[in-house]
Amino acid sequence: MTTPPMQPGYPQGVSDKSKVVAGVLQILLGGFGVGRFYMGDTKTGVIQLIVTLVTCGIGSLWGLIDGILILVNGGVDAQGRPLRD
């Protein structure tokens, strides 16, 4: 069996980051963007932190919903690789 040729624009392999860890961090500390920082997505993590601070904590609902979506649908790390199970 041969390995498929490498396609440009599609990173090889699976991330070393865990989907479960990212989802749980995002559910528990999502208002601070901790799950996104863990995944390497610092831009979204900083935005989640700012939204939570500006809205006096109400923006942390975004982190809760984001954590549930990460657990259900998975996600990708900063290099675009899918998170491992």
Side-chain angles (χ1 to χ4, degrees):
M1 184 171 209
T2 61
T3 57
M6 188 167 169
Q7 299 174 351
Y10 294 99
Q12 287 289 85
V14 177
S15 175
D16 58 341
K17 307 293 183 184
S18 171
K19 174 176 77 169
V20 174
V21 172
V24 170
L25 282 174
Q26 194 64 14
I27 288 172
L28 296 177
L29 300 169
F32 303 110
V34 175
R36 288 294 179 167
F37 286 123
Y38 170 76
M39 293 168 53
D41 188 5
T42 56
K43 180 181 173 185
T44 306
V46 169
I47 293 171
Q48 285 180 336
L49 177 61
I50 291 171
V51 167
T52 299
L53 293 175
V54 169
T55 62
C56 298
I58 296 172
S60 63
L61 290 175
W62 177 15
L64 175 70
I65 294 167
D66 194 27
I68 293 169
L69 289 175
I70 290 171
L71 286 174
V72 172
N73 297 331
V76 294
D77 66 1
Q79 289 79 32
R81 300 175 298 183
L83 297 174
R84 65 180 168 83
D85 289 330

